[in-house]
Amino acid sequence: MEEVQEKKPDPFFREVRFVSSYAEAVKVPSRGIPHLAFAGRSNSGKSSLLNAIVERKSLAKVSSVPGKTKLLNFFLVSKSLYLVDLPGFGFSQISHKEHEQMMQLLMDYLNSAKDLKCLFLLSDAQRELPEEELELIGTCFEKGIKPVLVRTKIDKLNQSELSKLRKKMKNIQQLYPMLDVVFVSPKSGKGLTELRKIIEVMMKTLIIPVVEEEPPMPEEAQG
């Protein structure tokens, strides 16, 4: 008798693949396809979270040394939207010059990407939210981009620390009432469902053209 194998559940996104990388924001083509971007300091766990959201182990490259993502990395989802892994910034092991370069690339992208609809701003829950990141939230609202503040690594907090963090985030939401705040841990899976729901809602509400042809691959590779 033939053994019937249990069918594994489909990943959240059935078709997700790396498409291209850009070293300069001005080289990113405008195709009318929505961008949902992920930004944060170099040790905030961006690539790990992106992999966890789409249920892939190595879609976005994860390095043991924070700060390795130095390009704008684009991943095409179901031929209908791009997830964008932005360069990390602010880690202590990178130089002041590198930090400025990464911040400049990030700001150039925010200022020039007409298709950017949502920015997931990742911040380590063990650290205070820097003024620089608060300003990014304000910039998003000014430009009509939906910001989502993602506090990562909450599995490293005890209940008292988590309670204090929630109170601080409520204070920030008083400044920005439309701001979504999500507490996540890719390790435990906490918060991933909420992030996926935000993406699903955006996919349903945005007018999304279908990519009929494969976008050309630029010279840069994911990094």
Tab-separated table of all heavy atoms in Angstrom, residues 152-193:
chain	number	residue	atom	x	y	z
A	152	THR	N	11.761	44.712	17.602
A	152	THR	CA	12.248	43.341	17.434
A	152	THR	C	12.896	42.800	18.710
A	152	THR	O	13.179	43.538	19.650
A	152	THR	CB	13.267	43.279	16.288
A	152	THR	OG1	14.416	44.080	16.624
A	152	THR	CG2	12.660	43.806	14.987
A	153	LYS	N	13.127	41.491	18.689
A	153	LYS	CA	13.843	40.779	19.766
A	153	LYS	C	13.143	40.894	21.124
A	153	LYS	O	13.795	40.959	22.173
A	153	LYS	CB	15.284	41.285	19.875
A	153	LYS	CG	16.069	41.213	18.570
A	153	LYS	CD	17.487	41.719	18.731
A	153	LYS	CE	18.235	41.711	17.412
A	153	LYS	NZ	19.628	42.210	17.531
A	154	ILE	N	11.814	40.904	21.115
A	154	ILE	CA	11.102	41.051	22.386
A	154	ILE	C	11.230	39.806	23.262
A	154	ILE	O	10.917	39.852	24.457
A	154	ILE	CB	9.615	41.384	22.167
A	154	ILE	CG1	8.912	40.265	21.398
A	154	ILE	CG2	9.438	42.711	21.463
A	154	ILE	CD1	7.414	40.372	21.467
A	155	ASP	N	11.687	38.702	22.667
A	155	ASP	CA	11.896	37.488	23.463
A	155	ASP	C	13.019	37.666	24.482
A	155	ASP	O	13.146	36.882	25.429
A	155	ASP	CB	12.226	36.305	22.547
A	155	ASP	CG	13.387	36.604	21.606
A	155	ASP	OD1	13.181	37.391	20.667
A	155	ASP	OD2	14.486	36.071	21.818
A	156	LYS	N	13.827	38.715	24.305
A	156	LYS	CA	14.930	38.980	25.222
A	156	LYS	C	14.503	39.859	26.412
A	156	LYS	O	15.314	40.164	27.285
A	156	LYS	CB	16.088	39.641	24.474
A	156	LYS	CG	16.685	38.753	23.382
A	156	LYS	CD	17.867	39.425	22.707
A	156	LYS	CE	18.445	38.543	21.598
A	156	LYS	NZ	19.021	37.294	22.118
A	157	LEU	N	13.233	40.281	26.440
A	157	LEU	CA	12.735	41.127	27.521
A	157	LEU	C	11.940	40.294	28.527
A	157	LEU	O	11.244	39.349	28.151
A	157	LEU	CB	11.819	42.224	26.970
A	157	LEU	CG	12.390	43.176	25.911
A	157	LEU	CD1	11.334	44.217	25.553
A	157	LEU	CD2	13.666	43.846	26.392
A	158	ASN	N	12.034	40.685	29.808
A	158	ASN	CA	11.161	40.051	30.794
A	158	ASN	C	9.828	40.803	30.818
A	158	ASN	O	9.663	41.814	30.134
A	158	ASN	CB	11.821	40.025	32.183
A	158	ASN	CG	12.179	41.416	32.698
A	158	ASN	OD1	11.439	42.383	32.482
A	158	ASN	ND2	13.320	41.524	33.365
A	159	GLN	N	8.879	40.332	31.606
A	159	GLN	CA	7.543	40.914	31.599
A	159	GLN	C	7.539	42.379	32.031
A	159	GLN	O	6.796	43.207	31.492
A	159	GLN	CB	6.608	40.104	32.511
A	159	GLN	CG	6.219	38.745	31.936
A	159	GLN	CD	5.504	38.874	30.600
A	159	GLN	OE1	4.611	39.697	30.431
A	159	GLN	NE2	5.896	38.053	29.640
A	160	SER	N	8.372	42.714	33.005
A	160	SER	CA	8.448	44.094	33.477
A	160	SER	C	8.986	45.016	32.388
A	160	SER	O	8.447	46.106	32.161
A	160	SER	CB	9.345	44.173	34.715
A	160	SER	OG	9.513	45.522	35.121
A	161	GLU	N	10.035	44.573	31.701
A	161	GLU	CA	10.627	45.367	30.621
A	161	GLU	C	9.654	45.521	29.459
A	161	GLU	O	9.558	46.591	28.850
A	161	GLU	CB	11.927	44.712	30.151
A	161	GLU	CG	13.042	44.755	31.171
A	161	GLU	CD	14.221	43.881	30.792
A	161	GLU	OE1	14.010	42.864	30.087
A	161	GLU	OE2	15.358	44.195	31.219
A	162	LEU	N	8.911	44.448	29.154
A	162	LEU	CA	7.946	44.496	28.055
A	162	LEU	C	6.805	45.452	28.378
A	162	LEU	O	6.342	46.205	27.520
A	162	LEU	CB	7.395	43.095	27.777
A	162	LEU	CG	6.426	42.959	26.602
A	162	LEU	CD1	7.049	43.472	25.311
A	162	LEU	CD2	5.983	41.505	26.443
A	163	SER	N	6.370	45.463	29.645
A	163	SER	CA	5.299	46.366	30.073
A	163	SER	C	5.729	47.825	29.936
A	163	SER	O	4.961	48.677	29.459
A	163	SER	CB	4.918	46.067	31.522
A	163	SER	OG	3.929	46.962	31.976
A	164	LYS	N	6.979	48.113	30.325
A	164	LYS	CA	7.503	49.477	30.201
A	164	LYS	C	7.605	49.890	28.744
A	164	LYS	O	7.307	51.040	28.386
A	164	LYS	CB	8.878	49.566	30.870
A	164	LYS	CG	8.842	49.454	32.386
A	164	LYS	CD	10.248	49.507	32.970
A	164	LYS	CE	10.223	49.360	34.481
A	164	LYS	NZ	11.597	49.354	35.067
A	165	LEU	N	8.015	48.943	27.892
A	165	LEU	CA	8.138	49.226	26.464
A	165	LEU	C	6.782	49.561	25.860
A	165	LEU	O	6.655	50.503	25.076
A	165	LEU	CB	8.760	48.034	25.739
A	165	LEU	CG	8.894	48.167	24.219
A	165	LEU	CD1	9.836	49.312	23.854
A	165	LEU	CD2	9.382	46.852	23.606
A	166	ARG	N	5.755	48.817	26.226
A	166	ARG	CA	4.412	49.056	25.698
A	166	ARG	C	3.923	50.457	26.079
A	166	ARG	O	3.284	51.149	25.280
A	166	ARG	CB	3.444	47.993	26.210
A	166	ARG	CG	3.680	46.610	25.617
A	166	ARG	CD	2.619	45.624	26.073
A	166	ARG	NE	2.886	44.274	25.597
A	166	ARG	CZ	2.604	43.821	24.382
A	166	ARG	NH1	2.020	44.639	23.510
A	166	ARG	NH2	2.878	42.582	24.039
A	167	LYS	N	4.215	50.881	27.301
A	167	LYS	CA	3.809	52.214	27.747
A	167	LYS	C	4.515	53.295	26.936
A	167	LYS	O	3.909	54.298	26.547
A	167	LYS	CB	4.112	52.382	29.234
A	167	LYS	CG	3.207	51.575	30.154
A	167	LYS	CD	3.558	51.779	31.619
A	167	LYS	CE	2.653	50.954	32.526
A	167	LYS	NZ	3.023	51.120	33.963
A	168	LYS	N	5.813	53.093	26.667
A	168	LYS	CA	6.571	54.059	25.874
A	168	LYS	C	6.031	54.149	24.453
A	168	LYS	O	5.956	55.228	23.866
A	168	LYS	CB	8.053	53.671	25.854
A	168	LYS	CG	8.761	53.842	27.187
A	168	LYS	CD	10.210	53.391	27.093
A	168	LYS	CE	10.920	53.550	28.427
A	168	LYS	NZ	12.322	53.079	28.373
A	169	MET	N	5.639	52.997	23.897
A	169	MET	CA	5.117	52.979	22.536
A	169	MET	C	3.747	53.679	22.462
A	169	MET	O	3.430	54.331	21.473
A	169	MET	CB	5.010	51.545	22.010
A	169	MET	CG	6.362	50.849	21.821
A	169	MET	SD	7.499	51.746	20.728
A	169	MET	CE	8.517	52.633	21.929
A	170	LYS	N	2.951	53.565	23.528
A	170	LYS	CA	1.674	54.263	23.565
A	170	LYS	C	1.881	55.771	23.584
A	170	LYS	O	1.100	56.530	22.985
A	170	LYS	CB	0.869	53.820	24.791
A	170	LYS	CG	0.266	52.430	24.652
A	170	LYS	CD	-0.589	52.065	25.853
A	170	LYS	CE	-1.210	50.681	25.679
A	170	LYS	NZ	-2.035	50.296	26.859
A	171	ASN	N	2.938	56.216	24.249
A	171	ASN	CA	3.273	57.649	24.260
A	171	ASN	C	3.628	58.129	22.863
A	171	ASN	O	3.248	59.236	22.455
A	171	ASN	CB	4.419	57.922	25.228
A	171	ASN	CG	4.021	57.749	26.685
A	171	ASN	OD1	2.842	57.866	27.029
A	171	ASN	ND2	4.985	57.466	27.538
A	172	ILE	N	4.370	57.307	22.124
A	172	ILE	CA	4.742	57.665	20.755
A	172	ILE	C	3.498	57.698	19.868
A	172	ILE	O	3.358	58.560	18.991
A	172	ILE	CB	5.784	56.669	20.204
A	172	ILE	CG1	7.117	56.855	20.940
A	172	ILE	CG2	5.986	56.859	18.697
A	172	ILE	CD1	8.192	55.877	20.536
A	173	GLN	N	2.567	56.774	20.113
A	173	GLN	CA	1.338	56.749	19.321
A	173	GLN	C	0.441	57.954	19.613
A	173	GLN	O	-0.428	58.278	18.811
A	173	GLN	CB	0.587	55.439	19.566
A	173	GLN	CG	1.245	54.248	18.877
A	173	GLN	CD	0.535	52.948	19.156
A	173	GLN	OE1	0.347	52.553	20.312
A	173	GLN	NE2	0.148	52.238	18.105
A	174	GLN	N	0.658	58.596	20.755
A	174	GLN	CA	-0.069	59.839	21.023
A	174	GLN	C	0.443	60.949	20.119
A	174	GLN	O	-0.303	61.836	19.718
A	174	GLN	CB	0.080	60.222	22.494
A	174	GLN	CG	-0.682	59.319	23.449
A	174	GLN	CD	-0.534	59.717	24.904
A	174	GLN	OE1	0.262	60.592	25.237
A	174	GLN	NE2	-1.293	59.089	25.783
A	175	LEU	N	1.743	60.891	19.785
A	175	LEU	CA	2.323	61.856	18.841
A	175	LEU	C	1.885	61.538	17.413
A	175	LEU	O	1.648	62.434	16.610
A	175	LEU	CB	3.851	61.829	18.927
A	175	LEU	CG	4.496	62.299	20.232
A	175	LEU	CD1	5.999	62.074	20.184
A	175	LEU	CD2	4.190	63.775	20.467
A	176	TYR	N	1.811	60.225	17.110
A	176	TYR	CA	1.433	59.766	15.772
A	176	TYR	C	0.278	58.767	15.908
A	176	TYR	O	0.496	57.547	15.919
A	176	TYR	CB	2.616	59.098	15.069
A	176	TYR	CG	3.826	59.976	14.910
A	176	TYR	CD1	4.974	59.776	15.689
A	176	TYR	CD2	3.843	61.015	13.979
A	176	TYR	CE1	6.090	60.579	15.535
A	176	TYR	CE2	4.958	61.818	13.823
A	176	TYR	CZ	6.076	61.596	14.609
A	176	TYR	OH	7.181	62.387	14.451
A	177	PRO	N	-0.964	59.245	16.028
A	177	PRO	CA	-2.124	58.367	16.259
A	177	PRO	C	-2.335	57.296	15.186
A	177	PRO	O	-2.924	56.251	15.462
A	177	PRO	CB	-3.303	59.354	16.280
A	177	PRO	CG	-2.698	60.665	16.655
A	177	PRO	CD	-1.346	60.674	16.019
A	178	MET	N	-1.854	57.544	13.964
A	178	MET	CA	-2.052	56.588	12.876
A	178	MET	C	-0.922	55.561	12.792
A	178	MET	O	-0.908	54.721	11.882
A	178	MET	CB	-2.159	57.334	11.537
A	178	MET	CG	-3.309	58.325	11.468
A	178	MET	SD	-4.913	57.511	11.704
A	178	MET	CE	-4.999	56.574	10.192
A	179	LEU	N	0.012	55.614	13.728
A	179	LEU	CA	1.178	54.720	13.686
A	179	LEU	C	0.839	53.331	14.224
A	179	LEU	O	0.330	53.190	15.330
A	179	LEU	CB	2.324	55.315	14.502
A	179	LEU	CG	3.593	54.456	14.634
A	179	LEU	CD1	4.269	54.294	13.277
A	179	LEU	CD2	4.554	55.077	15.649
A	180	ASP	N	1.123	52.309	13.424
A	180	ASP	CA	1.004	50.927	13.889
A	180	ASP	C	2.310	50.527	14.563
A	180	ASP	O	3.401	50.788	14.029
A	180	ASP	CB	0.747	49.971	12.717
A	180	ASP	CG	-0.673	50.084	12.183
A	180	ASP	OD1	-1.575	50.404	12.980
A	180	ASP	OD2	-0.875	49.860	10.975
A	181	VAL	N	2.221	49.891	15.728
A	181	VAL	CA	3.397	49.380	16.435
A	181	VAL	C	3.220	47.880	16.625
A	181	VAL	O	2.187	47.430	17.124
A	181	VAL	CB	3.588	50.057	17.811
A	181	VAL	CG1	4.803	49.472	18.526
A	181	VAL	CG2	3.745	51.567	17.655
A	182	VAL	N	4.225	47.113	16.199
A	182	VAL	CA	4.155	45.655	16.293
A	182	VAL	C	5.361	45.150	17.079
A	182	VAL	O	6.497	45.555	16.822
A	182	VAL	CB	4.136	45.006	14.894
A	182	VAL	CG1	3.951	43.495	15.019
A	182	VAL	CG2	3.029	45.606	14.030
A	183	PHE	N	5.108	44.257	18.029
A	183	PHE	CA	6.175	43.653	18.828
A	183	PHE	C	6.442	42.256	18.269
A	183	PHE	O	5.530	41.424	18.223
A	183	PHE	CB	5.754	43.561	20.296
A	183	PHE	CG	5.411	44.890	20.898
A	183	PHE	CD1	4.111	45.384	20.858
A	183	PHE	CD2	6.394	45.679	21.488
A	183	PHE	CE1	3.789	46.618	21.400
A	183	PHE	CE2	6.082	46.912	22.028
A	183	PHE	CZ	4.781	47.388	21.988
A	184	VAL	N	7.681	41.998	17.855
A	184	VAL	CA	7.954	40.735	17.170
A	184	VAL	C	9.181	40.007	17.716
A	184	VAL	O	10.070	40.606	18.326
A	184	VAL	CB	8.159	40.946	15.650
A	184	VAL	CG1	6.991	41.668	15.022
A	184	VAL	CG2	9.456	41.681	15.367
A	185	SER	N	9.182	38.721	17.424
A	185	SER	CA	10.331	37.859	17.674
A	185	SER	C	10.331	36.775	16.611
A	185	SER	O	9.526	35.838	16.685
A	185	SER	CB	10.261	37.214	19.065
A	185	SER	OG	11.254	36.193	19.176
A	186	PRO	N	11.192	36.889	15.574
A	186	PRO	CA	11.249	35.844	14.554
A	186	PRO	C	11.559	34.474	15.158
A	186	PRO	O	11.134	33.443	14.638
A	186	PRO	CB	12.394	36.316	13.638
A	186	PRO	CG	12.417	37.800	13.811
A	186	PRO	CD	12.092	38.010	15.264
A	187	LYS	N	12.277	34.485	16.266
A	187	LYS	CA	12.670	33.230	16.918
A	187	LYS	C	11.452	32.466	17.426
A	187	LYS	O	11.328	31.259	17.242
A	187	LYS	CB	13.624	33.524	18.074
A	187	LYS	CG	14.216	32.291	18.737
A	187	LYS	CD	15.224	32.680	19.786
A	187	LYS	CE	15.828	31.433	20.441
A	187	LYS	NZ	16.841	31.797	21.471
A	188	SER	N	10.519	33.184	18.077
A	188	SER	CA	9.326	32.539	18.624
A	188	SER	C	8.127	32.626	17.680
A	188	SER	O	7.153	31.901	17.836
A	188	SER	CB	8.948	33.185	19.964
A	188	SER	OG	8.513	34.531	19.770
A	189	GLY	N	8.211	33.526	16.700
A	189	GLY	CA	7.110	33.708	15.763
A	189	GLY	C	6.118	34.773	16.199
A	189	GLY	O	5.185	35.095	15.457
A	190	LYS	N	6.316	35.344	17.370
A	190	LYS	CA	5.388	36.355	17.875
A	190	LYS	C	5.416	37.593	16.985
A	190	LYS	O	6.469	38.087	16.615
A	190	LYS	CB	5.754	36.751	19.306
A	190	LYS	CG	4.772	37.738	19.928
A	190	LYS	CD	5.077	38.003	21.381
A	190	LYS	CE	4.117	39.030	21.982
A	190	LYS	NZ	2.706	38.610	21.876
A	191	GLY	N	4.224	38.085	16.645
A	191	GLY	CA	4.097	39.301	15.855
A	191	GLY	C	4.108	39.081	14.357
A	191	GLY	O	3.726	39.987	13.593
A	192	LEU	N	4.517	37.893	13.887
A	192	LEU	CA	4.606	37.651	12.449
A	192	LEU	C	3.224	37.668	11.791
A	192	LEU	O	3.054	38.198	10.692
A	192	LEU	CB	5.296	36.314	12.174
A	192	LEU	CG	6.766	36.219	12.584
A	192	LEU	CD1	7.312	34.830	12.263
A	192	LEU	CD2	7.603	37.286	11.891
A	193	THR	N	2.237	37.094	12.469
A	193	THR	CA	0.883	37.081	11.922
A	193	THR	C	0.358	38.498	11.745
A	193	THR	O	-0.290	38.816	10.736
A	193	THR	CB	-0.066	36.293	12.845
A	193	THR	OG1	0.396	34.943	12.941
A	193	THR	CG2	-1.486	36.307	12.301
